Amino acid sequence: MRVPKARVVASAALLVLVGFARSPESLGDTLLDDTRHAFPATHKWFGMVADLQIDQNANSELVPVFSSLRSSLVRNSDGAGQSLSPRLPARADGAHTIALDGAPGFWVRTRELDAQPVRAQLASGVVVYPAAIAGGDLMYKLTPTHVDEYLYLAAPPPSLLRRASVELGPAVLELREASGRVEAVDAQGTARLRVSAPFARAADGTRRQGTIHLQAGVLVSELDLQGLLPPLLVDPDWSTTGTMTVGHWSDAAFLRPDGKVMVVAGCALTGCPSSYAQSGCGQVLADTEVWTQSTGTWTAGPPLQTARYAFSSTQLADGDVLVAGGCTVPGCTEQTASAERFDRTLGQWQPAGTLASARANSATALLRDGRVLVIGGCAGSSCVATVDRYDPTKQTWDAAAALPTARGFGVATLLTDGRVLLSGGCTDSACATQLRDALLYDPSSNTWSAAGLMSSVRAGHTATLIGDGRVLVVGGCADAACKVTLPSVELWSAANGGGSFSAGPTIPGARHNHTATLLDTGEVLIAGGASGASSSLPNATAYVPSLDRWLDVEPMNMDRAYHVAVLLPSHDVMLGGGCNLTTCMPWCELFSPKRLPMLESAPPPLQSDGGVASTTDAATSGGAAGTLAGSAGGSASGGGSGRSGGTQQTTGDGGVSTSQAKPTTPHPARYRSGAAKCATDDMQELACPQTGWPWQDADFQPNARVLSQSAADEVSDPSTHLLWQRDDDGKTYDHEQASAHCAQLVSKRGKQGSWRLPSVVELMTLTDYGRNTPSIDPIFTHTQPNNYWTSTPVASGTTQSWTVKLDFGEVIPVGAAKLLNVKCVRDEGDSLFGPDRLRQAGSLVADGAVVRDEQTGLEWQRKDDGVRRSWQDSLAYCAGLSLAGKDDWHLPNAFELRGLIEYGQAKTAGPVIDPVFQAPKPDIYWTATPNDGIPTLSWSVSFNLGVVDGVTVSGITYARCVRHIASTGSNSSHHPASGCSCRIARGSRPRDTVFGLGLSSALLLAAALRLRSRRRNAAAPHR
């Protein structure tokens, strides 16, 4: 990563920090490297502050210069407008001060009582105190809204007890304990700062929560570490209160009678679930928290008695809240029948009886008479037909009429006549069988009746009662893995005691697990959701019943799905929490309906087609008609989307003008990398397009591979004709053992001998460059963020073989004796990679200045211009290229470029790509794929060996451009038509021998591997 320029630090007391000009091998850097290696997610966390500069004040305190931070993931203030002004000590045993910026006298000063007097170091923007606490290394990541503290323990003690004396500024009324946290409160009783309890992450992914409390003026935190696999990373932090106390998804939210919003329970410590079958829940919460609109701040509320997610929840007529059932452990292997009621007068949760049976994912409705209906749900692998009623006056449960058939995941909507419409859902816990029918419940007769059929099976949809009495049904999934997401909209109308569905206008952007809010003005706001099994959306749109059409609304500030939405007394909508690809979100934002467009000037209604779209075919809404203003901090990044139509022009500064857009046929299916967001030189997770960085990988959508679970233990990839082992065994093997392991593997459908170790070209196709740690579709279980063996030896005669590292997606050689993970493969049809399974490109045909690959749908620039450029300049060069009468060229993505490598080609010199190309350099070439998780890196491919690695974007190297063409057989079997491909027999040519390795080959291999450390032109790839 790029080392930020040092600030001048005058005091001699911080000579180690004057080591801003330190050597890359300093102790602080080594500690950071150890942490990144053991906990790959810290690549992204620490990358946020890589540019941070530190000053020292007159008291020898370390003061961060937040204006030096450039990452888009960093917020200058939280949703309440608050920011921090932290000051760290020059030695670990000194005082740490956390002050609220712009609030004189509001600060908390702590001094660790058992810290060692070690001096601070700075490593890539992170402040490090080596061996400061319990023999562990103390690290601080500082941003304007968070002071994140990490304690890295290579040899942890059985338990961790930390004590800190506390001093309060004159503007702090008190510190108070609040549901596992400690908050600093101002004179008005508003919490402004908070410190969380510690929790430990173990090397195997296990997490364990600790406690924090006040004891005689001392802040005490405790954490049991017994039995956790080292190394451990312990993570408490200080933060402002303009965000939730913890990120939630699968939770519930309510507007209390006092005008405050209460958010209840749910999941934390994970990204969005990949399907109904894989819950993705990292930690089940009992937490509640309360948001006050007037201050924009959050405070911890009273916890539930039972932690739960996927529960039913209802606000009662008197303002109390009832929750019932739900999952109590990650994975939802255990459910509860318990119910709890939030008593607003006591401000506490009270037991409220039990359901007839433990279950989760039930539908719920508040009946006109004040009773609550809890409908169906799932437990174990099946769903139930049970329906329970709760009487809030008697505080009792009884049985209502059972459903005609078992179902869970349905959506219940109270109608104007008091009946309840139940739409869609599933018959089993994994949603393998989904439903398209609807039912009506009549409370007066306690009966269920048929209410019509939707155009498609669906679950994960919304169903909203609109002003004319109809029900608007939007989106959802049409399969268990949510690979098929619906853009279709249906309108249910009552008729002849029953009802029927008719097609509504297709929503801009297929989605599921979004929110639908009926505004006071009559429109329905649809916000966020997931566009498939692996991507969340920022997009919002509003349905106008009187016009039967959708209005464009400005996107949210953040991608989010599985979130909550609450209509406020101000007529605004608070949208909070949820999840995206990598994390749960504590950030919230407000939507104001005041800027919805004038309906008189609105364009004609959208055409209704009621169809089904693939998850990756979702269009996004444009325009800026509404406003979604940040309410509680978070990233300002938007989401990527597909674009089509028009032409795109390069500007004089190498940027992109999107007033006209080039046709953007998506990457051919074989070359879709999973990248969903765009980047700049120092920011990631940005909306596409990005002016000045044109035609990146994620500008071309759809860009996801469509995988399916063909059996319980197998995953099918129809684009490659391969069947993959779904679940890793967690063991490691040397190269010879790895081959034997796969040869002996037996699956439900694959007999012994049908499985084998994949070639490097085959295994590379599983890499998902939109994910990291691991960089693979979550349909695969227990994948390790480590190197995986392939069957392909390095062709130059070494004792090394190729591996694919599934932390970020590197392709590198490793010695055959190394113990690594294994994922086996078998064939579902003819090989698409040549007879030796080592060629991803099809037959290459030279035609003047271009090389066509009609089998896979690409046309290449035959001879690059030999000019070294930065990543940004290379993107602009290809976007502005006019060649062979075509102007729709772009920099290739990582899949496209690495597809040119001949991994079986044993050359003693020169590049290892097909000789049909003219004058390729045996050097690094850029791709258009950002290195997800490290903002300053982009993926590259070396043409001298085939290494795929991340390279600093400010470095300079080569570019070879590509364009998409119609494929004549992208999924057909083929054999290389030109070049030596992989057919040169190893050992067939004479060579000088040095320890069994050809001398020229040895030099070439060494040079290739030195690409990771050189600084001559392109900066070092990460590891």
Side-chain angles (χ1 to χ4, degrees), residues 301-480:
L304 292 170
Q305 297 180 2
T306 301
R308 64 185 82 206
Y309 73 101
F311 52 91
S312 65
S313 59
T314 312
Q315 187 161 26
L316 306 177
D318 63 0
D320 285 2
V321 172
L322 179 76
V323 300
C327 307
T328 57
V329 296
C332 201
T333 54
E334 297 178 13
Q335 302 84 34
T336 182
S338 71
E340 301 181 47
R341 178 174 176 170
F342 177 71
D343 187 319
R344 69 193 189 287
T345 58
L346 297 176
Q348 297 292 332
W349 291 90
Q350 303 291 328
T354 60
L355 300 171
S357 62
R359 58 190 192 267
N361 293 299
S362 304
T364 185
L366 178 66
L367 302 176
R368 286 282 185 84
D369 62 7
R371 291 183 296 175
V372 176
L373 205 64
V374 177
I375 307 165
C378 305
S381 61
S382 60
C383 298
V384 301
T386 308
V387 180
D388 293 329
R389 284 181 304 201
Y390 175 74
D391 187 324
T393 303
K394 300 177 181 179
Q395 300 186 30
T396 58
W397 290 89
D398 67 351
L403 295 168
T405 57
R407 85 171 70 195
F409 301 96
V411 179
T413 309
L414 181 67
L415 305 177
T416 53
D417 61 7
R419 295 183 296 171
V420 175
L421 177 72
L422 179 67
S423 57
C426 310
T427 62
D428 59 279
S429 296
C431 261
T433 302
Q434 296 182 315
L435 301 167
R436 62 186 290 239
D437 70 317
L439 298 171
L440 277 173
Y441 176 74
D442 189 335
S444 61
S445 61
N446 190 28
T447 57
W448 291 92
S449 60
L453 296 174
M454 295 180 288
S455 64
S456 170
V457 298
R458 68 179 78 221
H461 57 290
T462 55
T464 309
L465 180 70
I466 56 179
D468 59 10
R470 295 181 297 167
V471 175
L472 179 74
V473 178
V474 176
C477 300
D479 68 324

Side-chain angles (χ1 to χ4, degrees), residues 685-733:
E685 304 293 324
L686 301 176
C688 298
Q690 280 297 310
T691 300
W693 286 264
W695 301 112
Q696 299 179 43
D697 191 356
D699 278 311
F700 297 85
Q701 297 291 339
N703 197 24
R705 306 185 75 80
V706 180
L707 305 176
S708 62
Q709 189 175 332
S710 58
D713 52 2
E714 294 182 3
V715 173
S716 173
D717 184 349
S719 70
T720 61
H721 298 178
L722 294 175
L723 288 167
W724 291 92
Q725 177 187 13
R726 179 169 179 252
D727 190 3
D728 291 7
D729 66 359
K731 299 178 181 179
T732 56
Y733 307 84

Side-chain angles (χ1 to χ4, degrees), residues 710-927:
S710 58
D713 52 2
E714 294 182 3
V715 173
S716 173
D717 184 349
S719 70
T720 61
H721 298 178
L722 294 175
L723 288 167
W724 291 92
Q725 177 187 13
R726 179 169 179 252
D727 190 3
D728 291 7
D729 66 359
K731 299 178 181 179
T732 56
Y733 307 84
D734 65 28
H735 194 258
E736 183 177 355
Q737 293 168 340
S739 295
H741 164 71
C742 287
Q744 296 169 6
L745 185 66
V746 176
S747 65
K748 290 186 176 180
R749 296 181 181 177
K751 61 184 180 180
Q752 183 174 331
S754 65
W755 291 95
R756 56 183 173 80
L757 198 60
S759 73
V760 63
V761 171
E762 290 172 325
L763 188 56
M764 285 191 305
T765 64
L766 291 188
T767 309
D768 187 330
Y769 286 119
R771 304 175 185 274
N772 60 65
T773 61
S775 54
I776 192 172
D777 193 301
I779 195 173
F780 293 97
T781 52
H782 301 109
T783 305
Q784 304 302 309
N786 299 325
N787 295 74
Y788 276 70
W789 280 122
T790 79
S791 63
T792 309
V794 174
S796 299
T798 75
T799 59
Q800 295 183 313
S801 290
W802 286 102
T803 68
V804 177
K805 192 175 184 184
L806 293 178
D807 61 344
F808 291 87
E810 303 95 323
V811 181
I812 54 177
V814 171
K818 187 77 171 178
L819 298 179
L820 301 177
N821 295 104
V822 176
K823 185 174 288 294
C824 305
V825 70
R826 66 188 184 93
D827 298 302
E828 193 172 25
D830 294 334
S831 172
L832 300 183
F833 304 109
D836 39 20
R837 308 180 189 278
L838 287 176
R839 185 183 176 101
Q840 190 165 4
S843 299
L844 299 175
V845 178
D847 182 8
V850 300
V851 173
R852 275 198 298 275
D853 181 356
E854 294 186 351
Q855 286 180 296
T856 64
L858 298 178
E859 184 171 81
W860 290 92
Q861 179 188 24
R862 189 177 183 191
K863 182 179 181 181
D864 64 77
D865 68 352
V867 176
R868 294 179 183 271
R869 298 177 175 87
S870 68
W871 183 59
Q872 180 183 12
D873 290 343
S874 296
L875 287 166
Y877 161 68
C878 286
L881 181 65
S882 180
L883 182 66
K886 307 294 193 306
D887 64 356
D888 55 345
W889 298 90
H890 62 273
L891 195 64
N893 76 357
F895 272 49
E896 291 167 337
L897 188 60
R898 72 189 189 189
L900 295 183
I901 298 297
E902 300 277 337
Y903 283 97
Q905 186 170 319
K907 287 196 171 185
T908 57
V912 285
I913 69 171
D914 197 296
V916 72
F917 290 97
Q918 296 177 337
K921 313 299 183 296
D923 210 317
I924 293 175
Y925 278 72
W926 287 117
T927 81

